[in-house]
Amino acid sequence: MSFSFLAREAGHVHVCGHRGYSLCYPENTLPALEAARTAGATTVEIDVVLTADGEPIVLHDLTVDRTTDGHGFAADLDLEQIRRLDAGVRFDPAFAGTKIPTVAETLDWAKAADMGIVLEIKEAERPELAADRVAALLRATGTLDRVIVIGFDHAVLKRAVERHPGLKTEAITHARHADLIGVLQACGAASVSIELDMFHPDDARALHEAGLGNRLSMPRPDKLAEYWQGGRDPLPKIVQWIADGLVDSISGDDVPFIARLVKQAGHAS
């Protein structure tokens, strides 16, 4: 059975672990992805850049400095050098020895675990090549149906769809567009990622009527705490949106928290 990112086709709203269960595990690593699955995620969001020798790897930043014990731009390091880096010890010594995974390894994991992958192209210097390499891996691993490629650069997404028939894409937005459907149609995207403060029920209904999907991006727990400290609670309306079938996927760092919201709304897997 083909994987679907649309809730009405999947039979449930997707819980998406942002960079895996990144609140409690080193982001964009296989332990974080597996922990997200265990905590109730049905999809995970990962970020992709290229090594010097053109290998797609799972890394958010253009440099390895923040998340590993290494230094420099990933684009200046070959895969062998990337393999020697520790991607867990900076997060917590308990995760020492954790490696940066390749996209190929991550796709193999997703297929075995029956998980969906929301794959963001972060590569800045060779984005077109990154999209081509990813598309080739999807076909080689038989995972084209369970991956949606996302990005802020809608022109890159448009060209990727044109070059690779069957590739599903999602446009990231940080604004409420006057013609959201037109934005997606212009770049050939099947879905849109929307921040909580820009999500509107009318837009969600219009997207679904046009056969398009959405992914609601939740703030980190410390940002949500600011609402509660100020006497405001956005959760009831979010649960209602989910219950009303307006949300296809809800994404964030705190996977168990998101899973509880979806369960509360009666749309869990």
Side-chain angles (χ1 to χ4, degrees):
M1 184 177 178
S2 181
F3 192 96
S4 178
F5 290 89
L6 288 172
R8 66 175 178 271
E9 294 178 355
H12 59 86
V13 171
H14 283 292
V15 173
C16 181
H18 181 240
R19 307 179 200 171
Y21 186 1
S22 56
L23 188 66
C24 297
Y25 291 78
E27 66 177 57
N28 278 320
T29 64
L30 291 177
L33 304 187
E34 181 59 30
R37 186 192 68 79
T38 301
T42 51
T43 64
V44 289
E45 186 265 358
I46 64 172
D47 303 287
V48 174
V49 299
L50 295 177
T51 62
D53 43 349
E55 180 72 27
I57 59 170
V58 182
L59 184 72
H60 178 273
D61 300 353
L62 300 182
T63 70
V64 299
D65 298 52
R66 179 177 63 87
T67 56
T68 80
D69 60 349
H71 173 70
F73 282 84
D76 293 333
L77 304 172
D78 61 30
L79 182 58
E80 184 179 349
Q81 292 171 302
I82 291 290
R83 292 285 198 194
R84 293 199 290 265
L85 301 178
D86 190 316
V89 70
R90 279 190 182 275
F91 184 86
D92 190 296
F95 295 105
T98 302
K99 300 302 180 184
I100 295 175
T102 64
V103 169
E105 290 167 341
T106 305
L107 295 177
D108 286 343
W109 169 83
K111 194 171 182 180
D114 192 25
M115 292 285 286
I117 298 287
V118 179
L119 187 152
E120 182 174 350
I121 300 293
K122 282 290 188 183
E123 171 64 31
E125 297 174 355
R126 297 166 291 170
E128 310 280 357
L129 178 61
D132 290 344
R133 292 286 169 88
V134 165
L137 285 171
L138 300 186
R139 296 195 181 281
T141 57
T143 53
L144 191 64
D145 66 323
R146 67 175 62 249
V147 175
I148 190 163
V149 175
I150 73 173
F152 288 94
D153 192 329
H154 298 179
V156 168
L157 295 181
K158 181 177 187 293
R159 290 191 289 270
V161 169
E162 291 170 347
R163 291 195 305 277
H164 304 287
L167 183 71
K168 293 189 291 290
T169 60
E170 177 176 283
I172 303 175
T173 60
H174 278 181
R176 187 181 179 205
H177 294 275
D179 183 8
L180 183 56
I181 292 172
V183 169
L184 300 193
Q185 290 175 338
C187 63
S191 181
V192 61
S193 173
I194 308 175
E195 299 293 318
L196 174 60
D197 59 355
M198 290 294 163
F199 187 94
H200 196 283
D202 291 346
D203 297 339
R205 293 187 187 95
L207 286 166
H208 285 164
E209 288 172 5
L212 302 168
N214 65 65
R215 183 168 60 99
L216 173 60
S217 182
M218 291 286 287
R220 287 180 63 87
D222 58 330
K223 298 302 292 183
L224 281 174
E226 293 176 5
Y227 284 93
W228 298 320
Q229 290 164 1
R232 291 163 175 79
D233 187 1
L235 299 189
K237 70 178 181 182
I238 295 170
V239 170
Q240 190 61 55
W241 291 339
I242 299 170
D244 289 344
L246 299 179
V247 178
D248 291 295
S249 177
I250 182 165
S251 178
D253 299 346
D254 191 344
V255 177
F257 171 70
I258 292 171
R260 286 195 297 271
L261 291 181
V262 174
K263 184 176 182 180
Q264 183 180 343
H267 281 261
S269 60

